[in-house]
Amino acid sequence: MKVLVTVKRVIDYNVKVRVKSDNTDVDLANVKMALNPFCEIAVEEAVRLKEAGTASEVVVVSIGPKTCQEQIRTALALGADRGIQIETEDMPESLNVAKLLAKVIDEEQPGLVIMGKQAIDSDNNQTGQMLAALTDMPQGTFASEVKIDGDKVNVTREVDGGLQTVALNMPAIVTTDLRLNEPRYASLPNIMKAKRKPLDVKTPADLGVELKAHTKLLKVTPPAERQAGIMVASVDELVDKLKNEAKVL
Amino acid sequence: MAILVIAEHDNSTLKGATLNAVTAASQMGADLHLLVAGAGCGAAAEAAAQVAGVAKVLVADNAAYEHQLAENMGKLVAELAKDYSHIVSPATTTGKNFMPRVAALLDVAQLSDITAVESENTFQRPIYAGNAIATVESMDAVKVITVRGTAFDAAAAEGGSAAVETVDAAHDAGISSFVGEEMAQSDRPELTAADVIISGGRGMGNGENFALLEKVADKLGAAVGASRAAVDAGFVPNDMQVGQTGKIVAPELYIAVGISGAIQHLAGMKDSKIIVAINKDEEAPIFSVADYGLVADLFEAVPELEQKI
């Protein structure tokens, strides 16, 4: 079975995000970029399926300018077999991403698609679900456990009140939550090896997809600052403040 | 055109998040309809008809919707969508699961997790874990939107008298099925619905020590939460996690105990009305957002707090 994994290049999660002074977007100039943490978990899960003999090949796809090849190489260093970059000028909207990926699925015919549940930049949590709808596949979102059982995959999902398990006919789409696995670090030999793994570049036109704008970003502003309050010296003072000043007790 | 809000429910009761979504939807236009899709969901539909401001309740009562599987819900809502300008759902794990399918089937964008309505087609939503707020205009004919509950007041659960209409559409995609669930059992309120929350971080040391917080919680009628660090360390289960990757909360009082205040945690609780931080490290970033900070050993301060409230 072939497993398709998608990865996104995003701001490194340790970097403090700053909004541009003209409020047009966040400032990404000279900022450290990395593999989206949820995508990293997706790569790890796919590689584990290959190591277990369940998957025969792991194909990794990313969409964006040439710089996203860096994240594809990271995924290859973690154990994916080959990469596909879909070259776009900037980052397309989720629905366009889903349409591009649907065409890749058409060509590649994977048995399982593993994606991050959301990217830590746009925080949309929607591309996997959209892709599932466009390809008429079932979805196991926010997965904390993935078990393949014949032609079905059982996915345990992190839902608001606890855990839910669903059985999906394959091919299916899984989106990862944080506790699915702990991604490995790439070893130096594997990083070197990754440089020689195949990486195809395609354009939206190659795939026959026309990118459409559905939304307009009007402005980006910093969130309202919360003022630091006061330090209290004792539990007594704290209780007194909560009762008499904040009136929440 | 009317606005369709998808109710969150467990077939017998309406979940609170629905009421916040109704308030958000009411700011987008008039004529609100609520969809209750489930199996044996008559009681939830009755509750939906009582919600103030709702003109009509649509009930799709079919085995295919019992567990609100995304594959089936997506088809149902997409079919109903032709009569509506906006499709709105709470940004719960249920809404987040099926709503993007609806958007894709309608060939429109989804605006996720909105926190403010500026006009019928312009909305605010947090990006980068809440470190920036995007104002986004939708250019689609149908706007598919999920709503962050903590950003909107709850609509009154009673006072309405909506007409109830049955929807016959039975969409069973037949590609997925419900196997089972393990829901956390607790007598305490749910995190997202609690007025008071006391949360513990890595400083708690282990899972047993959360009993200290539970004692305070029981006195205050509070929910108990945790930081991602405490969850990752295996102290407590993930459904207790407050933060960007867990639950987003905004109670009247939030007490952070032994939590340093990583960005990802702050993103989940910084809209709380009053924040109290108890931490032995006076440099902890949590103090920069706390209304009241106490530098103390939590193993002394928390039991003392429990006695004095």
Side-chain angles (χ1 to χ4, degrees), chain A:
Chain A
M1 178 183 68
K2 190 190 284 186
V3 178
L4 191 80
V5 182
T6 61
V7 296
K8 186 176 183 186
R9 175 184 172 89
V10 297
I11 189 167
D12 186 274
Y13 75 99
N14 287 313
V15 173
K16 172 99 178 110
V17 174
R18 288 185 205 289
V19 171
K20 284 185 187 168
S21 55
D22 63 0
N23 288 345
T24 52
D25 208 337
V26 300
D27 193 352
L28 294 180
N30 304 316
V31 163
K32 187 179 175 212
M33 302 295 278
L35 189 54
N36 179 45
F38 291 102
C39 302
E40 201 173 351
I41 295 171
V43 173
E44 176 67 32
E45 194 67 15
V47 171
R48 288 187 190 187
L49 286 174
K50 193 178 171 199
E51 287 167 347
T54 314
S56 52
E57 186 185 27
V58 176
V59 181
V60 55
V61 188
S62 192
I63 299 173
K66 193 162 187 218
T67 46
C68 78
Q69 288 190 6
E70 209 178 298
Q71 277 61 46
I72 295 177
R73 293 288 175 202
T74 303
L76 295 174
L78 292 170
D81 296 298
R82 64 182 166 92
I84 301 171
Q85 182 215 350
I86 303 171
E87 173 105 27
T88 59
E89 238 170 82
D90 38 33
M91 209 44 230
E93 291 181 34
S94 305
L95 184 60
N96 289 320
V97 170
K99 285 179 179 176
L100 291 167
L101 294 174
K103 293 290 184 183
V104 174
I105 287 178
D106 251 5
E107 288 182 0
E108 297 283 341
Q109 296 288 318
L112 192 65
V113 181
I114 312 181
M115 310 168 70
K117 74 165 180 181
Q118 72 191 68
I120 61 165
D121 50 3
S122 50
D123 280 334
N124 278 311
N125 191 337
Q126 60 188 19
T127 306
Q129 297 91 315
M130 286 178 161
L131 179 59
L134 294 178
T135 53
D136 212 12
M137 281 190 208
Q139 66 188 44
T141 52
F142 329 142
S144 64
E145 194 176 13
V146 176
K147 273 193 194 155
I148 292 176
D149 180 14
D151 57 356
K152 283 191 198 285
V153 54
N154 282 309
V155 179
T156 300
R157 309 178 49 234
E158 307 239 0
V159 295
D160 285 334
L163 298 171
Q164 180 196 60
T165 304
V166 290
L168 313 174
N169 293 359
M170 294 208 285
I173 291 181
V174 168
T175 75
T176 62
D177 217 318
L178 284 170
R179 294 200 304 172
L180 181 58
N181 60 48
E182 269 189 47
R184 70 194 67 190
Y185 292 97
S187 66
L188 191 58
N190 284 343
I191 292 171
M192 300 310 289
K193 240 197 282 178
K195 292 183 178 164
R196 293 190 302 271
K197 288 186 179 176
L199 198 169
D200 275 354
V201 180
K202 293 174 191 286
T203 65
D206 293 340
L207 295 166
V209 176
E210 197 188 328
L211 305 182
K212 270 186 277 184
H214 292 267
T215 60
K216 216 187 289 177
L217 182 62
L218 300 183
K219 65 176 178 192
V220 174
T221 49
E225 284 282 326
R226 201 181 167 104
Q227 295 299 319
I230 57 163
M231 300 303 285
V232 293
S234 66
V235 171
D236 284 318
E237 190 186 348
L238 175 62
V239 172
D240 175 66
K241 294 281 186 195
L242 291 177
K243 279 189 173 150
N244 301 316
E245 194 176 271
K247 298 191 196 314
V248 287
L249 283 187

Side-chain angles (χ1 to χ4, degrees), chain B residues 5 27 94 104 125 166 177-178 184 194-195 223 227 231 254 272:
Chain B
V5 180
Q27 296 172 11
T94 311
R125 54 179 304 269
T166 305
S177 58
F178 173 83
D195 287 331
S227 69
V231 171
Y254 188 91
S272 305

